[in-house]
Amino acid sequence: MSGLLSPEEWQAVALSLRVALWATVISLPLATLVAFALVRWRFPGRALVNGLVHLPLVLPPVVTGYLLLMAFGRRGPIGALLDEWFGVTLAFRWTGAVLAAGIMGFPLVVRAIRLALEAVDPRLEDAAATLGAGRVRVFATVTLPLIAPGLLAGAVLGFAKAMGEFGATITFVSNIPGQTQTLPSAIYAFLQLPGGEAGALRLVAIAVAVSMGALILSEWLSRRVARRIGGLDA
């Protein structure tokens, strides 16, 4: 198996999986909170929040990456504070790739969870509340199980987007082999080299296989969750 790719290519694959996993894990709880707020709460500035959440979908990825560099670079207002107070540097680090990938996939995660929340009958939550359950317990025991398929769908969408993210990532963290070179960046680098088509094709095959595997796993898990919710599975 190790002979299929060079060590540098395996590094790009491993880094992409690492970045996508962390981007998904970090964004999922926040996306759930934002989706819940947009569906269940009414507050001033709700339309603005909704617009900001979906902004990465309409902005060119390079613009998003540049804004991240301006804000989270060592001289940026947020990046300077992180560096001074915590010794954390995001620009030109793999952790910055996590941030960029998470932001680019965030609207997709929020949308999937939001659609699942909108399909939940609020009367079910109200019924649990009338029985004495608090808001946290209602969410944990009623809402969360019902939106589980949406959570899985959002997680897969976020993971797939993170795996394929290129423009914002390469702008914010560059394309440093072994440090910030993700799968899309490695494919791009191969295409800039004479005779690099074979290497690019190998990585494209890996990307397709990982994405298809994630989609199949998500579909299987979603169906199992749906059957359990419907009482069709023990």
Side-chain angles (χ1 to χ4, degrees), residues 4 10 25 37-38 92 139 160 172 183 189-190 221:
L4 295 177
W10 276 119
V25 169
L38 292 175
F92 308 108
F139 180 81
F172 185 39
L183 195 56
F190 269 121
L221 289 174

Side-chain angles (χ1 to χ4, degrees), residues 165-177:
E165 172 51 38
F166 174 71
T169 301
I170 200 171
T171 305
F172 185 39
V173 301
S174 189
N175 185 14
I176 307 172

Side-chain angles (χ1 to χ4, degrees), residues 72-110:
F72 290 91
R74 286 191 172 182
R75 296 183 180 180
I78 301 175
L81 292 177
L82 290 175
D83 187 29
E84 180 181 352
W85 291 358
F86 305 104
V88 174
T89 302
L90 295 176
F92 308 108
R93 300 287 192 276
W94 77 270
T95 49
V98 172
L99 177 63
I103 288 177
M104 293 301 297
F106 192 74
L108 300 177
V109 183
V110 171

Side-chain angles (χ1 to χ4, degrees), residues 35-200:
F36 189 87
L38 292 175
V39 173
R40 293 286 190 263
W41 300 345
R42 294 294 179 266
F43 55 90
R46 180 172 173 271
L48 178 60
V49 172
N50 185 59
L52 290 175
V53 166
H54 291 88
L55 193 59
L57 289 179
V58 295
L59 278 179
V62 173
V63 173
T64 302
Y66 179 74
L67 293 175
L68 288 174
L69 188 60
M70 295 297 294
F72 290 91
R74 286 191 172 182
R75 296 183 180 180
I78 301 175
L81 292 177
L82 290 175
D83 187 29
E84 180 181 352
W85 291 358
F86 305 104
V88 174
T89 302
L90 295 176
F92 308 108
R93 300 287 192 276
W94 77 270
T95 49
V98 172
L99 177 63
I103 288 177
M104 293 301 297
F106 192 74
L108 300 177
V109 183
V110 171
R111 181 167 180 79
I113 300 173
R114 184 175 179 176
L115 290 174
L117 278 168
E118 289 174 345
V120 175
D121 190 344
R123 290 176 296 181
L124 296 174
E125 298 168 324
D126 295 338
T130 58
L131 295 175
R135 291 184 179 180
V136 175
R137 188 175 180 183
V138 169
F139 180 81
T141 60
V142 178
T143 310
L144 192 59
L146 291 175
I147 66 171
L151 288 171
L152 289 173
V156 171
L157 287 172
F159 182 87
K161 179 63 177 177
M163 280 289 296
E165 172 51 38
F166 174 71
T169 301
I170 200 171
T171 305
F172 185 39
V173 301
S174 189
N175 185 14
I176 307 172
Q179 297 184 38
T180 65
Q181 187 176 73
T182 58
L183 195 56
S185 301
I187 293 172
Y188 174 78
F190 269 121
L191 293 177
Q192 307 308 304
L193 299 174
E197 291 82 1

